[in-house]
Amino acid sequence: MDYIPHTADETQRMLSAVGLNNPSELFHMIPSAFLDPEIEIPTPVTEMEIVEEMEKAAQKNEGGSMVSFLGGGAYDHFVPRTVNALISRGDFYTAYTPYQAEASQGTLQAIYEFQTLLSRLTGMEAANASMYDGASALAEAALMACRVRRKSKILVSAAVNPQYRRVLRTYLEAQAIELIEIPHTEGITDLGSLKETIDADTAAFFVSQPNYFGIFEPVDSIAEIVNHSDALLGASVYPHSLGLLKSPGEWGADIVSGDLQSLGLALNYGGPYAGILAAKQKYIRQMPGRLAGRAKDRDGNPGFTLTLQTREQHIRRAKATSNICTNQALCALASTVYLTLMGSKGLRSAAERSARNAHALKDHLCKINGVRLRFDRPFFNEFVIELPIPIQQWLDKASEENILAGIPISGAETGSKEALLVCATEKTNPVDIDRYSHLLSKMIG
């Protein structure tokens, strides 16, 4: 391996300082085959030929052509190419937390627009832009409720995503906050148990809409129960469904959390995603993370800045509402672009198509001998089925045929035996549904 120094004397002085005679001794531990490898470089080809070669190579990746029926918090929705094209711009892609407003107007405006869109989508008066994902956003919402009400008991529905509940328990245990799970009855929150458990010491009750089983919760009845107490009502939402459903603000939620993944973020092997945290205006001082506000400079021109935060939020962590330091603005920007492109009509159309495809899939599967719907209740785009064969046996067989057939749910979660959570989105087509149902029917038959 050749080394080109500035001068021979300079090189010799450096080598002498470390007890060596020549530059090659610096690399004695590396096999020579790696220092001077013989690389076969092919002859030049056109761009089109390179793309064809790369596509052939990509097809060798396992799972590259798999059809996904997975849900449970991460969904295979369509993401317009415009989203990635815009967030890949250098002025957004490398931006960090916009502490200096005078140098971060573009980033701050993007955050401000994101907050505005999320407030409209959730029916809340304010939204922030700092959450890592849906699970930690739910936990932060619970801590926020405890600060608002100055109480240390949280209730959560057992029909909330089990991963979210585990994260929630981790957050609350460290702060000696009591967490009580309200059981579900046939797929929805047990209202009788909620009435008996909620009391004067409860800071908030949290429910998912739709819940982990894809079912619509009786949120109006839940809101009525919670409103008769001094507790807050918290919602963990699947934001894509809000193109079709009433917003949490309309049915009485005080704090809303959720995961942005379904709004323009690809699955990305599990991340990165970002979370949602929105609330009523009167609780905004207890909201953690960053808030971008619109103001005016001394000449009357509009400008953007971080607002309603104390310095403790950034430097005196023990005094902060939460130590959220990493910037999730790139993921938030992706959702902003997605929502802007889709508009209210586009989001509604995608949500309706997801629901139609899921119901068509359910109808096909429930015609198969031995397959039954575990919870016979209205659902959005996910549902739970029971099979007459072992769940894992079906998942393994489907995987061999390039089908991700669903998420296994334990008997402890369903209240009976092991079952399967199956999901469809606007990308699910009739051919995929036929393949799924035909293969399962053949395996059972």
Side-chain angles (χ1 to χ4, degrees), residues 413-430:
E413 291 289 342
T414 63
S416 60
K417 65 177 185 178
E418 186 184 33
L420 190 65
L421 180 65
V422 184
C423 174
T425 69
E426 73 274 23
K427 290 176 63 176
T428 308
N429 60 54

Side-chain angles (χ1 to χ4, degrees), residues 72-153:
Y75 305 89
D76 187 22
H77 287 292
F78 175 72
V79 181
R81 294 292 179 91
T82 309
V83 173
N84 285 335
L86 288 177
I87 68 171
S88 297
R89 285 173 54 95
D91 40 359
F92 287 121
Y93 206 67
T94 59
Y96 189 57
T97 300
Y99 294 122
Q100 293 178 276
E102 66 276 12
S104 307
Q105 285 298 292
T107 301
L108 285 165
Q109 182 173 358
I111 293 175
Y112 179 83
E113 301 295 348
F114 165 76
Q115 293 171 178
T116 302
L117 289 168
L118 262 294
S119 294
R120 291 176 180 175
L121 190 66
T122 60
M124 293 284 102
E125 295 166 328
N128 75 0
S130 292
M131 299 296 108
Y132 296 135
D133 53 32
S136 59
L138 173 62
E140 291 286 1
L143 295 177
M144 178 180 169
C146 290
R147 292 192 296 272
V148 169
R149 283 291 182 257
R150 298 183 182 277
K151 296 173 181 178
S152 57
K153 181 192 291 185

Side-chain angles (χ1 to χ4, degrees), residues 33-42:
F34 294 116
L35 291 176
D36 295 298
E38 293 183 4
I39 302 175
E40 295 184 7
I41 301 176

Side-chain angles (χ1 to χ4, degrees), residues 7-194:
T7 67
D9 290 342
E10 180 185 12
T11 301
Q12 196 57 51
R13 285 198 301 272
M14 289 190 293
L15 290 171
S16 298
V18 293
L20 300 177
N21 296 316
N22 58 72
S24 62
E25 294 181 27
L26 289 168
F27 310 101
H28 71 278
M29 73 293 295
I30 303 175
S32 58
F34 294 116
L35 291 176
D36 295 298
E38 293 183 4
I39 302 175
E40 295 184 7
I41 301 176
T43 57
V45 294
T46 65
E47 179 183 354
M48 185 173 69
E49 291 172 317
I50 291 175
V51 171
E52 289 177 355
E53 186 66 28
M54 296 301 291
E55 287 177 345
K56 288 179 182 178
Q59 290 302 315
K60 297 178 181 179
N61 291 330
E62 184 176 347
S65 59
M66 298 193 84
V67 178
S68 176
F69 292 90
L70 304 179
Y75 305 89
D76 187 22
H77 287 292
F78 175 72
V79 181
R81 294 292 179 91
T82 309
V83 173
N84 285 335
L86 288 177
I87 68 171
S88 297
R89 285 173 54 95
D91 40 359
F92 287 121
Y93 206 67
T94 59
Y96 189 57
T97 300
Y99 294 122
Q100 293 178 276
E102 66 276 12
S104 307
Q105 285 298 292
T107 301
L108 285 165
Q109 182 173 358
I111 293 175
Y112 179 83
E113 301 295 348
F114 165 76
Q115 293 171 178
T116 302
L117 289 168
L118 262 294
S119 294
R120 291 176 180 175
L121 190 66
T122 60
M124 293 284 102
E125 295 166 328
N128 75 0
S130 292
M131 299 296 108
Y132 296 135
D133 53 32
S136 59
L138 173 62
E140 291 286 1
L143 295 177
M144 178 180 169
C146 290
R147 292 192 296 272
V148 169
R149 283 291 182 257
R150 298 183 182 277
K151 296 173 181 178
S152 57
K153 181 192 291 185
I154 293 292
L155 309 184
V156 63
S157 170
V160 169
N161 190 313
Q163 297 178 13
Y164 287 22
R165 284 185 278 128
R166 285 197 290 270
V167 172
L168 178 62
R169 185 170 297 280
T170 300
Y171 270 64
L172 300 189
E173 280 180 346
Q175 303 198 38
I177 296 173
E178 183 180 8
L179 178 63
I180 299 176
E181 292 191 1
I182 304 300
H184 68 81
T185 301
E186 289 303 304
I188 62 171
T189 303
D190 188 321
L191 300 184
S193 179
L194 176 60

Side-chain angles (χ1 to χ4, degrees), residues 272-335:
Y273 301 151
I276 295 169
L277 187 58
K280 293 180 177 178
Q281 178 76 23
K282 59 185 176 181
Y283 305 133
I284 200 169
R285 280 290 184 181
Q286 296 300 333
M287 182 180 285
R290 297 168 186 82
L291 288 161
R294 181 175 178 176
K296 292 182 179 180
D297 64 16
R298 63 184 180 183
D299 297 323
N301 298 315
F304 301 90
T305 183
L306 294 180
T307 187
L308 291 173
Q309 295 183 10
T310 60
R311 287 292 291 169
E312 283 78 8
Q313 189 71 22
H314 307 292
I315 59 174
R316 296 178 61 196
R317 292 175 293 178
K319 299 292 185 180
T321 51
S322 183
N323 181 29
I324 302 172
C325 289
T326 303
N327 187 12
Q328 295 294 97
L330 191 67
C331 294
L333 176 64
S335 292

